[in-house]
Amino acid sequence: MNTAPARRVDRPPATTVPFDVDSVRADFPILARTVHGKPLAFLDSGASAQKPRQVIDAIARCYEAEYANIHRGVYELSAKATEAYEGARARVQRFVNARSASEIVFTKGATEAINLVATSWGGTFLKEGDEVVLSVLEHHANIVPWQLLRERTGIVLKVVPVDDSGAFRLDDYEALVGPRTRLVALTHVSNVLGTVLPVTEIVRIAHAHGARVLLDGAQGIVHRSVDVQAMDVDFYCFSGHKLYGPGGIGVLYGKEALLAAMPPYQGGGDMIERVTFERTTFAPPPARFEAGTPPIAAAVGLHAALDYLATLDATAVAAHEHDLLAYATERLRAHNDVRLYGTASEKAAIVSFTMDGVHPHDVGTILDRAGVAVRVGHHCAQPLMDRFGIAGTVRASFGLYNTREDVDRLIGGLDEVREIFG
Ligand code: PMP
């Protein structure tokens, strides 16, 4: 699964067109703006991707024509909004190939999804001495919730290392998983190094020991095909805003039987069956985990983002991103003062590097003045920074709208850094 080169197009629409980066760029209005008087070279999609007009319009249309609170509304607008919200759920189900729409829980994002699993599933089914396996590649969102659970329950966290290229050490993983392992919680793709984890082997080994698998797909779903049934993961989560959709919405996929056995994460409206002051019974999943008014327009926007992606030639998008990665790697490698972090053979379009003698923040600031937007710092992965003995990196992460010219702008910006610091 992890080695799949292309995004799966789950429902090839009649409108699929050959990939043409210029026409894709024309769909993203923000790419036409300037920054500090320079054209924008946006190389921070790993933090949050830009939005196509189709998503922006869908959200505007929702508020202009079909907005109301959902469920329980007897009037036309509420029924339409409910249909749109549940339609988005069905769209996500098809996108990740879940067995049923009730396996798709809307959350605020990947972070909330992981907290939900840690609190509800972990808090119920894990006890002192049970082991949860993480890796050194994890984003803080897939570390801290387990530490909070450890404080409450006394679970034990085990950490899989990476080699010097940033590749996941499958042999160490296999040695770490044992009879006390109850959960393996790993990132699908590293947000810092771009390393793609060997999902098939990870799941096989975990399941052979009776452990569940949660994949943090915040980056993985953007760069790799995801079929939760083929992967046989127990939980998979991601954020809409990194997938060209709006902020404020994310997804937790969970196998039906697991979700059905989990208690609510938060209490409130919409997640109940019957409330009395003596006793409350809860709605079945996914409503059980969606207390309160959900992000209705964001769900509509996410639906539009998935429809937008389905209009593109998936294989060509993957090839385009791969070309950007190879080109950026080659151009960065040509400079002796640049150190690349993350050169695993299975890698998504994310490059991290440092420049000798220059703090990443200074690199980022000078690049910004040249109109090049990159992220600098620890990228919410401090244990990974410690592993490589650095405080931070400069990270360029590519989206489907980036071009080789954006890479050239990055490389040109580094020349400006050298002129200032050289
Ligand atoms: N996991 C990974 C691998 C990420 O890259 C991110 C976002 N940087 C998250 C989790 C958290 O996502 P969010 O902030 O959207 O909840």
Side-chain angles (χ1 to χ4, degrees):
M1 205 60 247
N2 56 306
T3 53
R7 165 173 303 291
R8 177 182 52 79
V9 178
D10 53 339
R11 188 185 50 164
T15 50
T16 299
V17 289
F19 186 73
D20 166 10
V21 74
D22 289 330
S23 75
V24 165
R25 288 179 68 80
D27 288 333
F28 290 79
I30 206 168
L31 298 179
R33 66 158 288 173
T34 56
V35 170
H36 302 304
K38 311 269 172 45
L40 170 64
F42 187 74
L43 296 175
D44 196 22
S45 298
S48 201
Q50 298 299 350
K51 320 303 172 198
R53 167 68 65 202
Q54 289 81 344
V55 169
I56 299 166
D57 286 351
I59 294 169
R61 253 195 329 272
C62 169
Y63 282 127
E64 283 170 7
E66 292 200 333
Y67 185 76
N69 210 334
I70 59 165
H71 300 148
R72 298 177 315 279
V74 291
Y75 55 93
E76 168 76 5
L77 271 189
S78 178
K80 283 261 185 271
T82 304
E83 212 174 278
Y85 183 73
E86 294 305 330
R89 195 190 307 280
R91 186 68 188 86
V92 172
Q93 176 205 347
R94 289 202 306 279
F95 190 72
V96 300
N97 195 32
R99 206 180 298 271
S100 136
S102 58
E103 294 180 319
I104 303 298
V105 179
F106 282 130
T107 65
K108 257 194 320 183
T111 301
E112 191 182 40
I114 297 168
N115 277 277
L116 194 165
V117 175
T119 303
S120 172
W121 183 83
T124 307
F125 297 108
L126 300 188
K127 56 181 190 315
E128 191 175 351
D130 284 346
E131 294 173 2
V132 173
V133 172
L134 310 174
S135 84
V136 73
L137 291 164
E138 302 315 311
H139 187 280
H140 296 165
N142 194 33
I143 299 174
V144 184
W146 306 111
Q147 292 175 326
L148 295 174
L149 183 66
R150 178 173 64 185
E151 277 165 32
R152 290 203 301 278
T153 62
I155 59 165
V156 175
L157 302 182
K158 302 267 178 168
V159 182
V160 183
V162 290
D163 68 17
D164 289 341
S165 77
F168 181 82
R169 294 283 306 252
L170 197 56
D171 48 349
D172 287 317
Y173 165 74
E174 189 153 19
L176 275 183
V177 179
R180 306 216 66 173
T181 309
R182 302 292 310 281
L183 177 73
V184 167
L186 297 170
T187 192
H188 184 181
V189 169
S190 160
N191 66 313
V192 181
L193 307 181
T195 305
V196 182
L197 273 67
V199 173
T200 308
E201 292 85 344
I202 285 168
V203 173
R204 182 180 53 74
I205 292 165
H207 285 173
H209 288 85
R212 299 294 182 185
V213 178
L214 174 148
L215 279 195
D216 168 2
Q219 303 292 335
I221 196 137
V222 184
H223 298 292
R224 286 296 184 271
S225 157
V226 170
D227 178 331
V228 291
Q229 291 189 68
M231 293 163 118
D232 198 22
V233 285
D234 299 288
F235 298 105
Y236 193 94
C237 64
F238 63 92
S239 298
H241 69 96
K242 294 181 201 274
L243 196 56
Y244 310 101
I249 189 153
V251 169
L252 170 67
Y253 158 81
K255 283 183 181 163
E256 199 155 13
L258 289 174
L259 293 179
M262 285 161 54
Y265 169 56
Q266 294 180 327
D270 243 15
M271 49 73 73
I272 56 88
E273 211 168 53
R274 176 82 179 104
V275 178
T276 65
F277 279 108
E278 289 68 41
R279 179 166 177 268
T280 290
T281 53
F282 305 115
R288 184 187 301 164
F289 304 108
E290 294 181 5
T293 300
I296 300 158
V300 168
L302 179 60
H303 189 159
L306 301 185
D307 282 349
Y308 177 77
L309 289 171
T311 65
L312 304 175
D313 176 340
T315 309
V317 170
H320 176 69
E321 288 190 6
H322 182 76
D323 176 70
L324 293 173
L325 174 64
Y327 183 62
T329 304
E330 175 198 315
R331 294 223 53 192
L332 287 166
R333 272 207 170 120
H335 297 275
N336 288 332
D337 60 348
V338 171
R339 269 165 224 274
L340 275 176
Y341 294 89
T343 52
S345 55
E346 270 304 312
K347 187 173 150 76
I350 296 172
V351 289
S352 258
F353 62 93
T354 56
M355 274 181 93
D356 290 348
V358 191
H359 194 283
H361 277 90
D362 292 327
V363 177
T365 305
I366 294 165
L367 287 175
D368 174 52
R369 277 196 252 138
V372 180
V374 293
R375 186 140 300 244
V376 297
H378 55 64
H379 315 294
C380 298
Q382 287 179 344
L384 186 61
M385 298 296 114
D386 294 342
R387 158 63 178 83
F388 285 97
I390 49 179
T393 70
V394 181
R395 182 188 73 182
S397 51
F398 299 96
L400 45 83
Y401 37 61
N402 286 119
T403 61
R404 281 189 171 216
E405 193 191 331
D406 291 332
V407 176
D408 294 339
R409 298 269 311 282
L410 168 69
I411 301 296
L414 297 184
D415 285 338
E416 289 179 36
V417 174
R418 285 185 197 96
E419 272 167 34
I420 293 166
F421 284 88

